[in-house]
Amino acid sequence: MITHSPNHQDKSEMSVEEKLRALFRLQTVDSQIDEIQKLRGELPMEVQDLEDDIAGLETRISKHQDEIEDLSGQVSGKNVHIKELEAKKKQFIEQQKNIRNNREYDSLNKEIEYKDLEAELDKKHIREFKVRVGEKEALMKDAMEQLYERQEDLKAKLGDLDRINSDTQDKEQGLAEKAEKLMPEIPERLLTAYKRIRNNARNRLGVVAVERDACGGCFAKIPPQRQMEIRARRKIIVCEYCGRILVDNEIDE
């Protein structure tokens, strides 16, 4: 015959009072964990936002650098082409010295004019490319300044977060382990209901005590007869207004 020790009681055999006590103990531990997490506040999200901003700025800076290199390469290409045009132009000028008729002279003269026009067009493009390089450099400088600011902000936020974590890590881990040990003591359906209520509650309270004749979660008044039922601890009672599980204020004694 299998028997159960008091520490390993079948959850189906637990009294309502035992279930309520286990739930209240779990809520107490969860609330302590919540308080530690409040110390961090929005820091983890702020750190994540800053890391995302930094990654975006680094991508933007890299893109600007690539565009500047491409534009600078095109300027270099145009300068090489201009030198080639000048060399061709000199050849045509030398050829003009040895021509025999006006038709050849005019043909060479047109070639020289064409090379001059090509060179002017290249110079125009070079000016345009240089303007765009200047614009890209200004944008990259602005992005780099923003990157430096974000990196400094991130360094400060990470420092704050590390300090809080080092001060609370052991305590939070101990509480988390305590919560893990408490959860198996609670029937699965009741634990699921508790977690659902807690996740939907603004103050993260799934189990609350009646204080001053009111629900400790939403502060709605609890009728005297209802309070008597809660103190009797014979059934699970929830607040009619907020849905939180109600216990009497002596449940933890």
Side-chain angles (χ1 to χ4, degrees):
M1 180 178 180
I2 300 174
T3 59
H4 297 280
S5 66
N7 292 332
H8 295 83
Q9 184 179 9
D10 191 321
K11 286 182 281 189
S12 65
E13 296 176 2
M14 290 175 68
S15 68
V16 172
E17 181 173 349
E18 287 170 329
K19 294 174 184 177
L20 289 171
R21 284 185 186 277
L23 265 181
F24 188 79
R25 286 197 299 269
L26 178 59
Q27 176 66 79
T28 301
V29 172
D30 282 341
S31 292
Q32 289 175 308
I33 294 172
D34 289 342
E35 286 302 313
I36 291 173
Q37 292 176 347
K38 279 181 187 177
L39 290 174
R40 298 190 191 100
E42 299 295 322
L43 272 175
M45 290 181 63
E46 290 172 4
V47 165
Q48 183 62 58
D49 288 343
L50 284 169
E51 288 175 341
D52 291 343
D53 285 349
I54 287 170
L57 286 166
E58 288 174 340
T59 300
R60 195 185 310 168
I61 289 167
S62 178
K63 184 180 178 183
H64 289 325
Q65 286 175 327
D66 290 343
E67 289 172 340
I68 289 168
E69 288 176 9
D70 180 63
L71 289 166
S72 298
Q74 292 190 61
V75 168
S76 297
K78 292 295 181 185
N79 280 323
V80 169
H81 190 231
I82 288 170
K83 288 180 181 178
E84 292 172 351
L85 292 171
E86 289 295 329
K88 284 285 186 183
K89 180 180 172 182
K90 286 179 182 179
Q91 288 180 9
F92 292 144
I93 291 172
E94 286 298 318
Q95 289 177 24
Q96 278 183 327
K97 294 176 182 179
N98 300 315
I99 58 171
R100 298 178 180 179
N101 55 58
N102 288 337
R103 189 176 67 181
E104 289 181 2
Y105 182 89
D106 291 340
S107 176
L108 287 171
N109 212 39
K110 285 180 181 177
E111 289 292 339
I112 292 168
E113 289 176 0
Y114 182 69
K115 297 306 176 191
D116 283 338
L117 288 173
E118 276 193 275
E120 284 302 316
L121 184 60
D122 283 343
K123 290 174 184 177
K124 178 176 178 291
H125 286 153
I126 287 172
R127 290 192 295 271
E128 291 172 349
F129 292 152
K130 286 183 175 180
V131 168
R132 289 171 63 188
V133 166
E135 292 171 349
K136 296 296 178 185
E137 286 175 339
L139 289 170
M140 189 168 76
K141 182 183 176 183
D142 182 60
M144 290 179 74
E145 288 173 355
Q146 290 183 51
L147 178 63
Y148 175 77
E149 291 174 4
R150 298 292 192 282
Q151 287 172 333
E152 290 299 302
D153 288 345
L154 179 61
K155 193 186 299 182
K157 298 285 186 189
L158 285 173
D160 291 341
L161 192 56
D162 285 343
R163 281 191 294 274
I164 293 171
N165 285 338
S166 63
D167 292 341
T168 61
Q169 187 173 12
D170 290 344
K171 184 178 180 181
E172 185 176 9
Q173 185 175 345
L175 288 167
E177 290 172 358
K178 191 173 180 180
E180 285 295 323
K181 290 177 182 177
L182 285 169
M183 284 190 280
E185 298 179 11
I186 303 166
E188 188 175 345
R189 287 181 63 185
L190 187 58
L191 182 62
T192 300
Y194 160 76
K195 288 180 178 180
R196 185 185 69 252
I197 296 166
R198 185 171 136 75
N199 289 335
N200 290 332
R202 186 179 300 175
N203 55 11
R204 303 278 290 164
L205 293 176
V207 180
V208 294
V210 176
E211 300 285 351
R212 297 181 182 179
D213 303 327
C215 168
C218 67
F219 310 111
K221 286 293 182 182
I222 308 295
Q225 179 62 35
R226 197 72 163 168
Q227 291 185 51
M228 287 178 61
E229 293 175 355
I230 293 166
R231 284 195 295 271
R233 304 171 190 168
R234 291 175 184 164
K235 59 181 178 179
I236 306 295
I237 297 174
V238 299
C239 175
E240 296 177 355
Y241 296 93
C242 68
R244 291 179 175 90
I245 298 168
L246 296 170
V247 296
D248 61 282
N249 56 13
E250 297 177 357
I251 190 77
D252 59 338
E253 294 181 357

